[in-house]
Amino acid sequence: MGYRDRLDGPGPRKLLALDGGGIRGVLTLEVLGQIELMLCRELKAGDEFVLSDYFDYIAGTSTGAIIAAGLARGMRVDELRELYATHGAEMFDRASLIKRFKYKYDSTRLEGLLQDIFGAAVTLGDPQLKSLLMMVLRNATTDSPWPLSNNPRAKYNEDSRLDSNLRLPLWKLVRASTAAPTFFPAEAVSVGEQDFVFVDGGLTMYNNPAFQLFLMATMEHYKLGWPTGEQQMLVVSVGTGTSPKADDRLRPGDMNLLFNASSVPAALMSAALNEQDMLCRTFGRCRHGASIDNEIGDLRGEPGLLKERLFTYVRYNVELTRPGLNQLGLHDVRPEDVQRLDSIAHIGALQRVGMRLARDVDRRHFEGFLGE
């Protein structure tokens, strides 16, 4: 079954959203591996079962875009685990000394790797994709977020358009979504007769793309219009860990130009991530998720704004701080080893964190969406 066959199929609909976070995508994969295993068992599926058999629409930002595109292509989680474990160093290939004034890592090997994985000629609209796919990019030329999907009914995906997004190379869009400034060079993409410069989708409000994915699946403007309701739609959101840096020694005078340049982007991305999560818990019925903050808690069982929630929601994520790791029983894992987006020397530690987080996965989170 190709993704076009799922446009009008029977519900309920299942959506999967994957955060950005560099090499911390390793953490996401451990959670996805447990979800894959649980679903295979509960659905009594065979060894050929993949997550795109279950999820109708998969979205990702940055490293989440790599994983989302792989899943939509029908890859098993083990294949993606092997990709990150074996080729993590290629993804973060040091740039030459001269180029390091612009960015830390050269993208040449990453581009070759993405072409090998997805195929140099495979486009966003390729019929080989098994599920609907959405990836978040930031168009630096137009200074706007670009959540691109392969929904053939979307305005800019019409086959008659010479600038149809469905004609764009899949690997190039994935690369553009991962082009984090200071880490990688920007990616140029020709859309019809226009040339645009794209950077990492994490530099938008959608580093966590969960609520945007819900909107693109339901709003009439996107021309899918899938039914809403707690029994009609499941949204599963998987993070790459958070790393808030509290500092009780900080003074106003410490917040100089260099401090702000290094801390403000991360702070804005963190706030956007939490906002998407909170929107999902407010408009959806949250079955699982850690506390958002000390004031509102996790919002599970709360009455909310609506009498009828628009979807069922599940969130898996972890705090990569000393208290957060201690709570997982990982007292020997150093926070600084697993917080950095390019911590390729500590993939093993990230896998351990992911495996502990994966213990949260429970069939009860998916009840009503298992064909009961």
Side-chain angles (χ1 to χ4, degrees):
M1 177 187 292
Y3 73 92
R4 288 177 182 251
D5 299 317
R6 308 177 87 144
L7 299 177
D8 300 308
R13 296 294 184 172
K14 286 90 66 179
L15 283 58
L16 176 64
L18 309 174
D19 289 10
I23 200 63
R24 290 181 352 210
V26 167
L27 191 158
T28 299
L29 287 167
E30 294 303 323
V31 176
L32 293 176
Q34 186 60 32
I35 293 174
E36 184 182 72
L37 183 65
M38 182 275 296
L39 290 174
C40 186
R41 180 178 63 248
E42 294 294 329
L43 298 172
K44 296 179 173 57
D47 293 339
E48 70 283 357
F49 175 80
V50 290
L51 286 178
S52 55
D53 292 330
Y54 180 79
F55 288 103
D56 302 292
Y57 208 159
I58 303 176
T61 301
S62 194
T63 197
I66 297 177
I67 298 171
L71 295 177
R73 282 275 278 156
M75 295 177 70
R76 294 183 60 82
V77 174
D78 272 345
E79 294 178 83
L80 290 163
R81 275 196 189 110
E82 179 67 17
L83 167 67
Y84 275 69
T86 305
H87 299 284
E90 288 182 54
M91 295 183 186
F92 293 90
D93 185 29
R94 284 280 181 182
S96 66
L97 287 174
I98 295 176
K99 291 181 178 179
R100 284 184 208 174
F101 286 102
K102 295 181 179 179
Y103 45 80
K104 292 174 65 175
Y105 300 106
D106 188 90
S107 63
T108 304
R109 295 178 70 184
L110 175 59
E111 290 172 4
L113 184 63
L114 293 176
Q115 290 179 51
D116 288 342
I117 298 165
F118 301 117
V122 172
T123 63
L124 179 62
D126 195 288
Q128 296 180 59
L129 295 178
K130 299 184 64 176
S131 71
L132 284 163
L133 171 67
M134 187 267 277
M135 297 177 291
V136 181
L137 298 71
R138 180 178 178 272
N139 189 327
T141 303
T142 61
D143 191 24
S144 59
W146 273 37
L148 297 182
S149 84
N150 61 352
N151 170 17
R153 296 172 180 166
K155 179 177 180 179
Y156 293 101
N157 289 354
E158 296 172 0
D159 291 332
S160 59
R161 298 180 65 107
L162 293 179
D163 62 350
S164 171
N165 292 328
L166 297 185
R167 304 176 191 272
L168 300 175
L170 179 61
W171 75 266
K172 205 170 186 64
L173 296 177
V174 173
R175 157 72 182 105
S177 184
T178 64
T182 74
F183 281 87
F184 293 102
E187 182 71 17
V189 180
S190 297
V191 184
E193 297 181 350
Q194 291 185 283
D195 295 327
F196 296 110
V197 175
F198 289 95
V199 293
D200 197 312
L203 297 179
T204 69
M205 288 296 291
Y206 315 120
N207 191 49
N208 169 357
F211 196 71
Q212 178 64 20
L213 174 61
F214 162 72
L215 294 177
M216 292 180 72
T218 58
M219 286 180 66
E220 63 179 55
H221 306 77
Y222 296 108
K223 302 180 181 178
L224 271 181
W226 287 349
T228 61
E230 289 182 49
Q231 287 76 46
Q232 296 299 317
M233 182 169 287
L234 170 68
V235 178
V236 177
S237 174
V238 186
T240 59
T242 60
S243 52
K245 294 180 172 61
D247 184 357
D248 59 7
R249 295 173 297 176
L250 184 66
R251 299 293 180 265
D254 298 332
M255 301 183 69
N256 52 37
L257 183 61
L258 182 60
F259 175 90
N260 287 324
S262 62
S263 64
V264 168
L268 292 175
M269 288 172 65
S270 177
L273 182 150
N274 285 336
E275 181 73 3
Q276 287 277 306
D277 189 14
M278 189 159 64
L279 285 170
C280 285
R281 299 186 198 216
T282 301
F283 291 94
R285 178 73 66 188
C286 181
R287 286 185 175 176
H288 178 78
S291 176
I292 291 180
D293 61 37
N294 291 334
E295 184 171 10
I296 64 174
D298 59 23
L299 295 181
R300 282 185 280 177
E302 296 286 336
L305 296 176
L306 308 175
K307 290 184 179 180
E308 295 293 332
R309 299 298 178 96
L310 301 179
F311 53 94
T312 293
Y313 177 64
V314 179
R315 172 72 170 169
Y316 301 110
N317 204 16
V318 64
E319 191 173 288
L320 301 173
T321 58
R322 182 71 277 154
L325 294 170
N326 287 347
Q327 190 172 6
L328 294 177
L330 297 173
H331 303 278
D332 60 322
V333 174
R334 302 191 310 164
E336 58 269 30
D337 290 344
V338 292
Q339 290 178 350
R340 296 200 337 266
L341 304 184
D342 57 351
S343 190
I344 56 174
H346 301 285
I347 287 178
L350 283 165
Q351 288 175 325
R352 290 180 60 201
V353 175
M355 285 187 279
R356 292 298 179 96
L357 176 61
R359 294 179 182 180
D360 287 357
V361 175
D362 192 311
R363 72 169 309 279
R364 290 173 295 183
H365 303 160
F366 295 76
E367 281 182 353
F369 300 92
L370 296 171
E372 300 98 323

